[in-house]
Amino acid sequence: MNNTDMLILFLMTLCATIFFTWYVKRILIKARIADNPIVSEHRHKSGTPTMGGIAFLFVISLVISQFYDSTPIVILSFIMLAGGIVGLLDDLIGLKVKEIQKIVVNKTNEVITLGRLKVQPSEEVRVATPKAKAEIDDLIKQDKVEVVGEVPIKTEPGEWEKIICQVLLGLFLGLTCAVDTLGGYYLGVLSIPIVIVAILGCINAVNLIDGMDGLAAGIIAIASTACCIYAYLFETTAIMPPFLILTGLCLGFLVFNKHPASIFMGDTGSFVLGTGYAAAVLICDIPYFGVLALAVPIISVIVSLLHRAHIIKLPVEPLHHTLNHYGMSEVKIVLTYWGFTALFCAIGILAKMYIF
């Protein structure tokens, strides 16, 4: 693929994403398919249309129709479509309300304990854990807390169901034989388990950070652009197209998803980007730089795992919601995450240029 074709690919992806996101947003608004955040600091976003990642599926289909003669693009596009369908099913299941959870406020002048949380005076928290639910009635009777609202919790597939679907996505990519080397070393069929782990990790990393306006789309846009620069400087421009597609998708979606977001991508979108980024890094065989460029989401996953293992304790999970909980504005958090992503990418490029 020559430079003109790559420019056409990028511009087509970018413009198509802007159009289809606008179109899908109109449909979602009419269908009243909207987000209902469970984080107190984001309750004002209730009513914002979600599942905007459906737009990605239309764009990817268009890419396939125009670049069907490019094997890497076709393989990448199909794995992204498969990931998007899995995410779409997750979103559709989530339209059903599982339970209604109370939101309470500490009425006292003292710190009180609710479940695993230490609730500060006047602080609002959600009654989510079994321990908190068992304690809440007594705290209400003691006039220590007051119910100030309720939030619907969506139904979600079981953890094992999610893992199985994500493993199948990795297996699907592995069986295409598009990935048989890693870091320049030939692995053959031994690459399949590595592909599965990479798909699992990347999907969950992107899905975890998709909780603030423009956060996930911005990070993947920066990481994918950096991979294009890395390929241009040190590899070959032949591996740029997959990352140009990801960059076009993200930048096009950011037109509507930047703060204040008028649409969210949902699991449909985060699964497309997570699956697509992992597949692009593996197919293009730039694993070291690809992982470094995604360092911010990976660190966020590690922090959440430490929280779930009770090694550390976060008032709200994941980390970006904790930062927001302690007063850091959403815009500052997003810009900080973007900045660190750009920094990690710059470090990787400079290290390759002057050290390795």
Side-chain angles (χ1 to χ4, degrees):
M1 183 178 289
N2 58 41
N3 292 340
T4 301
D5 288 337
M6 287 193 286
L7 179 61
I8 291 172
L9 172 64
F10 171 72
L11 292 176
M12 183 188 74
T13 306
L14 175 66
C15 295
T17 304
I18 293 172
F19 170 76
F20 282 115
T21 302
W22 169 81
Y23 180 70
V24 167
K25 185 177 79 167
R26 287 171 54 89
I27 294 174
L28 293 171
I29 290 173
K30 290 181 180 179
R32 297 181 179 179
I33 298 176
D35 193 34
N36 199 345
I38 61 176
V39 179
S40 299
E41 289 82 0
H42 292 183
R43 292 297 296 157
H44 63 281
K45 298 183 181 182
S46 296
T48 304
T50 186
M51 294 172 60
I54 293 172
F56 295 166
L57 305 183
F58 288 108
V59 178
I60 294 166
S61 299
L62 178 62
V63 169
I64 294 174
S65 70
Q66 297 300 310
F67 294 90
Y68 58 86
D69 57 341
S70 173
T71 301
I73 290 179
V74 170
I75 292 175
L76 176 77
S77 298
F78 273 114
I79 190 66
M80 291 171 74
L81 280 175
I85 291 170
V86 172
L88 178 60
L89 293 174
D90 200 356
D91 279 334
L92 291 174
I93 292 171
L95 295 177
K96 182 180 178 181
V97 176
K98 178 182 178 181
E99 63 173 311
I100 303 294
Q101 293 181 352
K102 295 182 177 70
I103 298 176
V104 298
V105 62
N106 180 0
K107 295 174 60 179
T108 71
N109 295 321
E110 302 174 350
V111 177
I112 64 173
T113 301
L114 178 62
R116 293 183 61 208
L117 297 177
K118 299 293 183 181
V119 187
Q120 302 295 324
S122 302
E123 182 182 359
E124 291 185 7
V125 295
R126 180 167 51 92
V127 184
T129 65
K131 189 174 187 296
K133 292 174 184 177
E135 296 170 352
I136 190 63
D137 289 338
D138 287 338
L139 291 173
I140 292 174
K141 289 177 182 178
Q142 296 169 22
D143 202 30
K144 291 185 176 181
V145 300
E146 178 184 0
V147 178
V148 294
E150 294 180 333
V151 61
I153 304 300
K154 68 179 185 179
T155 302
E156 293 188 9
E159 288 298 325
W160 279 108
E161 292 174 329
K162 290 183 179 181
I163 291 174
I164 289 172
C165 288
Q166 293 167 17
V167 167
L168 289 175
L169 290 172
L171 186 60
F172 172 51
L173 176 60
L175 292 177
T176 63
C177 297
V179 181
D180 56 9
T181 61
L182 190 68
Y185 297 98
Y186 178 77
L187 298 177
V189 294
L190 294 177
S191 64
I192 293 179
I194 296 174
V195 171
I196 291 173
V197 171
I199 292 289
L200 269 168
C202 198
I203 287 177
N204 286 287
V206 176
N207 187 251
L208 187 70
I209 60 165
D210 180 33
M212 288 187 171
D213 297 354
L215 184 55
I219 286 176
I220 298 301
I222 294 168
S224 298
T225 301
C227 287
C228 288
I229 296 171
Y230 184 89
Y232 179 80
L233 292 174
F234 309 117
E235 300 288 337
T236 169
T237 56
I239 68 174
M240 288 174 60
F243 295 108
L244 290 173
I245 294 172
L246 286 166
T247 304
L249 286 174
C250 294
L251 292 180
F253 193 72
L254 278 171
V255 171
F256 303 93
N257 186 238
K258 67 182 185 301
H259 184 81
S262 61
I263 189 171
F264 302 138
M265 67 175 68
D267 287 345
T268 309
S270 64
F271 273 52
V272 167
L273 297 183
T275 305
Y277 185 82
V281 168
L282 292 167
I283 291 172
C284 298
D285 196 20
I286 53 171
Y288 309 121
F289 184 78
V291 170
L292 182 62
L294 208 68
V296 171
I298 292 171
I299 291 170
S300 187
V301 168
I302 292 171
V303 171
S304 287
L305 290 175
L306 292 174
H307 167 76
R308 295 178 188 183
H310 305 299
I311 296 173
I312 63 174
K313 184 167 70 173
L314 302 176
V316 189
E317 188 194 0
L319 179 60
H320 53 266
H321 286 320
T322 289
L323 296 174
N324 195 209
H325 177 79
Y326 284 124
M328 190 173 181
S329 73
E330 179 174 352
V331 172
K332 285 185 178 180
I333 293 169
V334 172
L335 290 177
T336 299
Y337 274 50
W338 287 2
F340 273 108
T341 299
L343 178 62
F344 280 120
C345 292
I347 289 172
I349 290 173
L350 291 174
K352 178 70 173 179
M353 188 176 296
Y354 295 108
I355 300 176
F356 299 103

